[in-house]
Amino acid sequence: WLVIDRKVYDVSEFSKRHPGGSRVISHYAGQDATDAFVAFHNDKSLVQKYLKSLLIGELAPDQPSFESNKKKSLLEDFRELRCTIEKMGLLRPNYFFFFLIFLHLLVLEAASWLVVWYFGISLVPFVAGMAFFSTAQIQMGWFQHDLGHCSVFRRPRWNHVLQMVVINLLKGLPASWWNHLHNQHHAKPNCFRKDPDLNMHPLLFSLGKTLSKEVWKSRFNDRKLECDIDTYKIYNNS
């Protein structure tokens, strides 16, 4: 169950068919998902059709419609700011701008291959081609990022189709893999064990107090278990 605008929905079965993946919804099980719902769904009227069959009740008047670990005043300020930004039209995309972005990426990609093909693989053309290719690949990553957020076209399908062209065809990475991880990141940003961008310890590194404490606890527990086993062996041997 989760809460959206003080209404309670049972998404147990629907989560398996959720276009954004079941894990994104499961991260909000038993919580208020209003702000995440607003951020992820551009066409609210379309999504409301699916929500009608999932509605099972409403919050009691004395129950707050926000997560317990968030401040009500700060949350209200954020929602007011978002409304102001939408009314100002700052979230409306400029199609000509994104067209130029895509065009210059194709030009850089083609130039990287043409330089090497025409001038050969000596040092100078190789370095020039590598510079063109690296720049194009990096910029493609950011362009497909906007497409993955459905921030370029109004219809999500158009965003997903062009995203697959950019990341699948031009970069050689699966769009479904990137969306699966990145949607979770924005659903629970910097939330330990829910944000995939933080699920990288203890092999790489740890960030922040919470993550550092978790790493320390896991290592302490492992060390304590080793000491208990050694003590048990010594006791038995004696």
Side-chain angles (χ1 to χ4, degrees):
W1 296 4
L2 51 79
V3 177
I4 300 175
D5 289 330
R6 302 196 62 82
K7 291 181 172 59
V8 183
Y9 299 92
D10 183 355
V11 296
S12 303
E13 294 298 326
F14 173 77
S15 63
K16 302 173 184 177
R17 307 188 304 272
H18 182 232
S22 60
R23 190 169 296 182
V24 176
I25 291 185
S26 66
H27 288 333
Y28 276 93
Q31 299 179 12
D32 188 290
T34 302
D35 295 291
F37 173 81
V38 172
F40 274 88
H41 304 93
N42 294 329
D43 192 347
K44 306 297 187 299
S45 59
L46 175 63
V47 183
Q48 289 294 340
K49 297 179 181 180
Y50 294 92
L51 289 178
K52 289 181 179 179
S53 61
L54 306 176
L55 180 64
I56 58 175
E58 296 187 16
L59 289 179
D62 59 333
Q63 292 294 321
S65 183
F66 58 90
E67 294 180 62
S68 58
N69 61 339
K70 294 182 178 180
K71 295 182 179 180
K72 182 179 180 180
S73 58
L74 185 62
L75 189 59
E76 291 175 348
D77 289 343
F78 168 77
R79 292 175 178 175
E80 183 180 352
L81 176 62
R82 180 181 178 87
C83 291
T84 302
I85 291 175
E86 289 179 343
K87 291 178 180 178
M88 294 175 64
L90 299 180
L91 298 182
R92 287 197 294 266
N94 186 324
Y95 295 119
F96 183 67
F97 168 79
F98 284 108
F99 170 76
L100 292 180
I101 289 291
F102 187 47
L103 180 63
H104 104 275
L105 293 178
L106 296 179
V107 171
L108 286 174
E109 182 89 359
S112 65
W113 294 103
L114 289 174
V115 167
V116 176
W117 174 77
Y118 186 79
F119 294 101
I121 56 174
S122 58
L123 180 61
V124 174
F126 179 78
V127 171
M130 184 174 62
F132 289 145
F133 185 78
S134 300
T135 303
Q137 287 292 307
I138 293 172
Q139 293 300 317
M140 284 178 189
W142 291 113
F143 182 49
Q144 73 84 27
H145 172 274
D146 292 339
L147 292 167
H149 278 287
C150 297
S151 300
V152 178
F153 302 106
R154 291 184 179 180
R155 295 189 177 182
R157 184 182 298 273
W158 295 357
N159 287 282
H160 293 318
V161 169
L162 187 55
Q163 184 195 24
M164 286 189 289
V165 172
V166 175
I167 189 173
N168 287 32
L169 182 62
L170 298 179
K171 289 187 66 66
L173 296 172
S176 57
W177 162 80
W178 187 88
N179 289 331
H180 173 68
L181 296 179
H182 201 66
N183 286 342
Q184 294 181 69
H185 163 68
H186 280 286
K188 286 289 185 177
N190 300 326
C191 183
F192 186 54
R193 299 194 186 284
K194 292 186 177 182
D195 183 351
D197 290 2
L198 296 182
N199 295 342
M200 56 183 61
H201 83 287
L203 299 179
L204 298 179
F205 57 86
S206 60
L207 301 172
K209 294 181 179 180
T210 302
L211 195 56
S212 300
K213 289 180 180 178
E214 291 288 342
V215 174
W216 179 85
K217 287 179 181 178
S218 63
R219 292 178 178 175
F220 174 79
N221 292 333
D222 292 341
R223 180 57 182 165
K224 185 176 182 297
L225 179 60
E226 292 176 1
C227 293
D228 292 341
I229 293 175
D230 292 339
T231 304
Y232 176 78
K233 291 179 179 178
I234 294 174
Y235 178 79
N236 285 341
N237 291 336
S238 62

